[in-house]
Amino acid sequence: MPRVSTQFARPALRRLPTRSSRPVQSLVRRLLPLVFRVQGLEVRNGNAAEGLAKAFQAHQAGETTLLIAFRHPSTRDPLVLADLFWNRAANTARQRNSPLARPVELRFLYDRGIPIWAGPLIGWLLQRCGGIAIHRGRLDRPALAEARQVLAQGRYPLVIAPEGATNNLSSEMAPLEPGVAQLAFWAAEDLEKSGQTHNLQVLPVSLIYSWRQQNWSALDARLQALERHLGVQGEPLNEAWDDPHQVHRQRFLRIGDALINTLEHLERLQHEPDQPLVNRITSYRLHGLSKAESHFGLKAAGTLQERCRRIEQAAWDRIYREGLEQLPPLERSIADWEAREADLQLSRMRLVEHFICVTGQSISDEANFDRLAEMLLLVEETIGWIEDRPWKSAPSLGPQRVELSLGEPMAVLPRLPSYRHNRRQAVQQFMADLQQSLNHLMNGD
């Protein structure tokens, strides 16, 4: 497990206010195409640019209030979406001879922890691009109130990732968090009370990444590097199988077996003979989360993502503390000790988080290059994170593309009667409908 990076307790995290800046957004907007060319990322609009151009026109005309809910498979999603909102939708509107009345300006929720691991410059940019920082592991009332006000006022579209975090897999979606539906219903009630006739809509947006060429030789070379690094040995695989991808699947299973063996040894976990790899991963995840929760006195409740967020927040509460300057020397030393222990538990949770979206479908379904390549990157990242040094990812798998698609708008106001009758059921139904829409987009339906 990585060395503990926190040695001392630190002052409490301050709230990061939204400081939207059009000059900064204009600069970023102009740089995005260059960034994609350097990365070799090909962006395909699908129906997203045209659909959003129409949605932004209706919004700027005061006809609708928009909440955009997007799939979040990659850390590159914010850049891709910024280009979609600021460049491609606007360009499409001009091509249709109905340009937008003004540049698109949005508000979006982002995790307060991003500036901690990504650095203060990223935090500065997020603030200037319209970001609303939110603590995901607790009820962050100020951030929720700001997001609710954005929707109620209707001046800016609000952008949210209902999965809550990246899962690094384009073909699988993490369970959605109910915050999108709850914010939508709150805003619908606010709009109704104020007598506004805005049509509040939730727009589902899907992003799917793939490789522009299937470089199997590069994939094989990187699998061999992983096998050497993990000391994977065994009977030779049957290269004459009818399904050429079966060999790759078996190699991944061997690599996964070696990796989970190491993690089980770290946690002193035992497994039954011939227990499927996916079951062992599940047991490891639950054990790691339970151990961290026990340290912080937390209850094991909710989805895996929700449990991770609570652990993260509990660790931050011990690392970032109020009133450190007033503590006498001994109490300050105890605070530093607690911070180091909290950071260790946070590291345990981060390691579990790498396996959150690894399921039987990931490993056992009919394989294709993109799925195997994403699993490869996930394993490499996990090993690099454990060893506290970047994994040497070579040779390159080649440039990627991202395909964007827009689902049918989901009107919120017609759902208000159901929400008033049974709030929990209405929120659950809304999220089920949103998940179904995103699944259809993800599967190309």
Side-chain angles (χ1 to χ4, degrees), residues 106-400:
L106 308 104
R107 296 291 182 264
F108 58 91
L109 289 178
Y110 70 94
D111 178 18
R112 176 60 181 85
I114 290 178
I116 296 175
W117 57 262
L121 176 59
I122 298 299
W124 184 89
L125 281 172
L126 290 171
Q127 287 178 272
R128 269 69 187 176
C129 289
I132 301 171
I134 186 169
H135 289 263
R136 295 183 298 171
R138 70 183 188 204
L139 184 60
D140 190 342
R141 295 184 186 277
L144 290 174
E146 184 177 354
R148 179 175 180 173
Q149 185 180 40
V150 166
L151 285 176
Q153 292 178 343
R155 183 178 178 185
Y156 308 110
L158 180 66
V159 185
I160 301 180
E163 290 168 283
T166 58
N167 71 356
N168 301 305
L169 298 172
S170 286
S171 57
E172 291 192 38
M173 185 163 53
L176 305 187
E177 298 177 356
V180 171
Q182 187 60 74
L183 275 172
F185 282 125
W186 283 342
E189 287 186 321
D190 293 342
L191 288 169
E192 189 179 67
K193 288 177 183 177
S194 62
Q196 300 185 56
T197 58
H198 290 170
N199 178 21
L200 176 58
Q201 295 180 342
V202 175
L203 300 181
V205 177
S206 174
L207 299 89
I208 299 178
Y209 294 83
S210 60
W211 274 263
R212 290 157 66 176
Q213 293 183 337
Q214 297 188 358
N215 192 340
W216 288 101
S217 60
L219 181 70
D220 287 333
R222 286 168 71 160
L223 284 175
Q224 290 172 3
L226 284 172
E227 290 165 341
R228 289 193 299 269
H229 192 78
L230 294 172
V232 172
Q233 297 177 351
E235 294 296 323
L237 295 172
N238 187 351
E239 303 286 347
W241 275 330
D242 292 337
D243 180 1
H245 299 316
Q246 185 69 16
V247 175
H248 291 100
R249 285 202 297 273
Q250 291 303 313
R251 292 176 72 183
F252 267 101
L253 289 172
R254 284 187 176 183
I255 290 170
D257 183 75
L259 180 56
I260 203 66
N261 274 339
T262 302
L263 296 175
E264 287 172 338
H265 178 73
L266 172 69
E267 298 289 358
R268 304 297 188 266
L269 278 174
Q270 301 292 329
H271 67 271
E272 298 294 329
D274 300 324
Q275 185 177 7
L277 176 61
V278 65
N279 293 352
R280 293 170 63 191
I281 292 174
T282 299
S283 297
Y284 165 74
R285 289 187 306 202
L286 296 176
H287 173 84
L289 292 183
S290 296
K291 200 166 183 178
E293 287 165 339
S294 176
H295 177 83
F296 294 119
L298 300 172
K299 293 183 179 180
T303 66
L304 294 178
Q305 288 89 338
E306 290 169 342
R307 294 171 68 181
C308 286
R309 298 290 70 77
R310 285 196 296 271
I311 292 169
E312 179 183 64
Q313 188 59 53
W316 285 358
D317 289 342
R318 287 159 177 78
I319 296 172
Y320 303 95
R321 304 175 66 138
E322 297 282 0
L324 281 178
E325 300 79 5
Q326 285 75 43
L327 293 178
L330 181 58
E331 290 189 29
R332 175 58 193 258
S333 296
I334 294 298
D336 294 337
W337 192 338
E338 289 181 336
R340 288 191 290 271
E341 288 188 332
D343 194 45
L344 182 61
Q345 298 303 324
L346 188 59
S347 296
R348 173 174 278 110
M349 184 276 290
R350 297 288 187 219
L351 192 51
V352 169
E353 222 175 8
H354 281 83
F355 295 96
I356 287 292
C357 288
V358 177
T359 66
Q361 183 181 0
S362 306
I363 299 170
S364 303
D365 274 5
E366 181 180 353
N368 58 51
F369 181 85
D370 294 316
R371 180 180 292 246
L372 291 175
E374 286 185 331
M375 292 296 296
L376 171 72
L377 295 179
L378 189 60
V379 172
E380 290 178 343
E381 181 185 352
T382 301
I383 293 174
W385 196 87
I386 292 172
E387 297 180 348
D388 202 25
R389 59 188 177 192
W391 178 267
K392 296 181 180 178
S393 303
S396 172
L397 296 176
Q400 285 188 288

Side-chain angles (χ1 to χ4, degrees), residues 47-68 84-85 89-90 92-93 96 98-102 104-106 154-158 199-205 406-410:
N47 69 336
E50 183 172 358
L52 281 168
K54 295 177 181 178
F56 288 148
Q57 285 172 335
H59 174 264
Q60 292 183 354
E63 299 170 4
T64 60
T65 296
L66 299 178
L67 196 164
I68 300 171
L84 172 65
F85 299 148
T92 299
R96 296 172 58 240
S98 53
L100 299 178
R102 57 184 181 274
V104 175
E105 188 173 353
L106 308 104
R155 183 178 178 185
Y156 308 110
L158 180 66
N199 178 21
L200 176 58
Q201 295 180 342
V202 175
L203 300 181
V205 177
L406 183 69
E408 291 296 321
M410 299 174 60

